[in-house]
């Protein structure tokens, strides 16, 4: 196998990771625009950078929520709806990451998701990737063991020659 054949899928996976950051930045930026924040574009770009650095977008959205409730011009219902949208947008990064991490892999999505979440709980940010990889490899090994056929045993004669 040539090295270029190995590197092409890896580069495609890294592009998917960048696309996740763009999605997160767009969703958070849309929420900031809807809430009337004056620096919504700048904060959307900051969300993109935060996603590239592998930090949660809630680092940015929690102070924005404080601004929304403290200095926002909307009423209580508007602030509540926008707060809900911004919190969901900030948390969407945690859902998009495992979903896009498992694309192109011959493993069911729940296996990747459970591996990513379990790895993140046990080992933190690095465990997000290691957990998904370890559980995916374990799943593939288990499935290859299940599908493998057991060789037939040779029949033994039961007659006795004396």
């Amino acid at each position: 196998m040539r090295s270029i054949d190995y590197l092409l899928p890896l580069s495609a996976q890294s592009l998917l990771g960048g696309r996740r950051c763009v999605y997160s930045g767009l969703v958070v930026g849309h929420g900031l625009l809807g809430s009337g924040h004056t620096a919504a574009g700048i904060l959307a770009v900051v969300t993109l950078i935060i996603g590239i650095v592998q930090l949660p977008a809630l680092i940015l959205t929690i102070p924005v929520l404080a601004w929304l409730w403290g200095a926002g011009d909307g009423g209580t219902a508007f602030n509540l709806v926008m707060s809900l949208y911004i919190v969901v947008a900030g948390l969407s990064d945690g859902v998009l990451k495992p979903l896009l991490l498992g694309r192109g892999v011959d493993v069911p999505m729940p296996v990747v998701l459970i591996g990513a979440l379990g790895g993140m709980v046990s080992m933190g940010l690095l465990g997000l990737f290691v957990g998904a990889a370890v559980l995916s490899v374990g799943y593939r090994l288990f499935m290859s063991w299940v599908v493998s056929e057991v060789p037939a045993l040779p029949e033994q004669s039961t007659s006795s020659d004396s």
Side-chain angles (χ1 to χ4, degrees):
M1 175 185 249
R2 297 183 339 213
S3 62
I4 191 71
D5 294 335
Y6 177 71
L7 292 177
L8 285 176
L10 290 179
S11 62
Q13 288 288 55
S14 66
L15 287 175
L16 287 176
R19 188 166 51 177
R20 174 197 48 87
C21 298
V22 171
Y23 289 157
S24 180
L26 286 174
V27 170
V28 170
H30 185 262
L32 296 176
L33 270 176
S35 68
H37 202 287
T38 55
I42 295 170
L43 292 175
V45 171
V46 171
T47 305
L48 172 71
I49 293 170
I50 285 174
I52 291 171
V53 178
Q54 300 292 324
L55 294 174
L58 282 177
I59 291 174
L60 181 85
T61 57
I62 290 175
V64 167
L65 290 177
W67 170 86
L68 179 66
W69 284 94
D73 294 334
T76 304
F78 176 77
N79 285 350
L80 188 63
V81 169
M82 290 314 299
S83 295
L84 183 64
Y85 180 83
I86 290 173
V87 166
V88 169
L91 292 174
S92 68
D93 189 48
V95 174
L96 287 175
K97 195 179 295 184
L99 288 177
L100 291 177
L101 187 67
R103 289 191 66 180
V105 180
D106 191 23
V107 176
M109 183 52 57
V111 172
V112 175
L113 186 63
I114 290 170
L117 295 177
M120 193 160 128
V121 166
S122 65
M123 295 185 349
L125 186 62
L126 182 63
L128 179 74
F129 302 103
V130 173
V134 167
L135 199 59
S136 296
V137 168
Y139 174 81
R140 292 300 300 158
L141 287 173
F142 178 73
M143 290 310 290
S144 67
W145 174 68
V146 167
V147 212
S148 67
E149 294 188 23
V150 178
L153 294 174
E155 292 190 29
Q156 297 176 352
S157 66
T158 57
S159 63
S160 60
D161 292 329
S162 308

